[in-house]
Amino acid sequence: MGAGRLYTAVAAGGFRRYATYRAATAAGVFTNTAFGIILVYTYLALWDEKPHLGGYDQAQAVTYVWLGQCLYATLAIQGGGVEKDLMERIRTGAIAIDLYRPADLQMWWLATDLGRSLFQLLGRGVVPFLVGAVFFPMALPADSGTWAAFLVSLLLAMVVSFAIRYLVALSAFWLMDGMGANQVMMIAGIFFSGMTLPLNVFPGALGDVVRVLPWAAQIQMPADVLMGETGVAGAFAFQAGWAVVLLAAGRLVQSAATRRVVVQGG
């Protein structure tokens, strides 16, 4: 089997695995929709007091809310992706089996996570977004080119999200227990990705910093591409740059871990 077919099959397996949890998916759709409605009215009240906050009008702010609810599970903003399985396999020593597979460890888990992300987008993300589009005014593009650019930006966001979580998961080689690292990742994800508020709302030096961190590639960039608030080429370069840097860092950490750390169980 060629590498392309192998990783496509791995991604399909990741998709099918999460597709089996139908009750959890339905509960997630309801939760994201309910939280989306709460956040929309919160944002509307805020934008009533501060019109054009962060350069957005109210319709753009509403769009940002529903896009965030669509991508919350898709990008595993607070965890819940393949990093949990990877940490557990490191803890138990089962990672040794993965290292003996005739496949690249990082690419294997990336393919698995992309399959998971695609299911979460279709199974859990699309419905809340459509609810928002039906019942609230949203700033959605009319041309197919912008939607195509958004999908590319979303794919890059998935890769950046995985790369961040992969680095966190690899810390289990040294820490053995990933709970602390996961907690830090969850807090950083919810704050720096723009899940709480758009990053262009953050003032002064804080805003300058958070907008150049890798988490900005997850929600802020796809949102701005969708709403035409940023140049497409610049957004792609920002996301692709962080994807390359983080994946390269993950490969270096992986190499150091597998050479110097004793796997549990021998």
Side-chain angles (χ1 to χ4, degrees):
M1 180 181 291
R5 290 179 59 194
L6 170 63
Y7 296 121
T8 299
V10 172
F15 185 98
R16 288 194 301 270
R17 174 188 172 187
Y18 283 85
T20 60
Y21 301 109
R22 297 177 184 176
T25 300
V29 169
F30 175 80
T31 301
N32 285 129
T33 304
F35 271 99
I37 293 171
I38 293 170
L39 284 171
V40 161
Y41 284 108
T42 303
Y43 271 44
L44 289 175
L46 179 58
W47 259 257
D48 275 338
E49 293 295 320
K50 298 284 187 179
H52 297 285
L53 181 63
Y56 287 168
D57 58 27
Q58 282 193 338
Q60 289 175 314
V62 170
T63 304
Y64 188 92
V65 168
W66 288 112
L67 184 61
Q69 294 306 304
C70 174
L71 299 184
Y72 176 78
T74 301
L75 301 179
I77 297 298
Q78 284 192 285
V82 298
E83 73 281 353
K84 292 176 63 178
D85 294 335
L86 179 54
M87 281 182 164
E88 180 62 16
R89 292 184 72 80
I90 294 171
R91 188 188 68 81
T92 62
I95 190 67
I97 299 172
D98 300 339
L99 293 171
Y100 274 105
R101 285 193 183 119
D104 182 79
L105 182 70
Q106 188 183 53
M107 285 298 298
W108 179 282
W109 287 101
L110 172 58
T112 302
D113 198 60
L114 288 177
R116 177 206 62 82
S117 296
L118 181 59
F119 172 76
Q120 295 289 20
L121 175 66
L122 298 176
R124 181 169 170 174
V126 169
V127 172
F129 191 80
L130 291 177
V131 169
V134 169
F135 292 102
F136 297 92
M138 291 173 63
L140 298 177
D143 61 296
S144 59
T146 301
W147 282 104
F150 167 71
L151 292 177
V152 174
S153 180
L154 181 54
L155 176 60
L156 290 170
M158 291 177 182
V159 176
V160 172
S161 171
F162 164 78
I164 293 172
R165 290 178 284 110
Y166 188 71
L167 277 168
V168 173
L170 291 178
S171 69
F173 273 110
W174 288 271
L175 301 176
M176 300 304 168
D177 184 351
M179 184 175 295
N182 269 325
Q183 290 295 322
V184 172
M185 181 185 69
M186 290 170 60
I187 295 170
I190 201 72
F191 184 79
F192 291 118
S193 69
M195 191 69 201
T196 306
L197 279 172
L199 299 182
N200 53 19
V201 169
F202 286 49
L206 176 61
D208 294 336
V209 170
V210 297
R211 284 189 289 271
V212 297
L213 294 177
W215 290 276
Q218 293 181 282
I219 295 179
Q220 189 67 54
M221 281 297 162
D224 283 342
V225 167
L226 182 66
M227 296 186 289
E229 289 294 313
T230 189
V232 172
F236 288 175
F238 178 81
Q239 292 178 291
W242 271 118
V244 170
V245 168
L246 292 170
L247 289 174
R251 192 162 291 276
L252 288 174
V253 174
Q254 172 188 311
S255 178
T258 54
R259 287 181 183 179
R260 299 177 182 273
V261 177
V262 176
V263 174
Q264 296 298 297

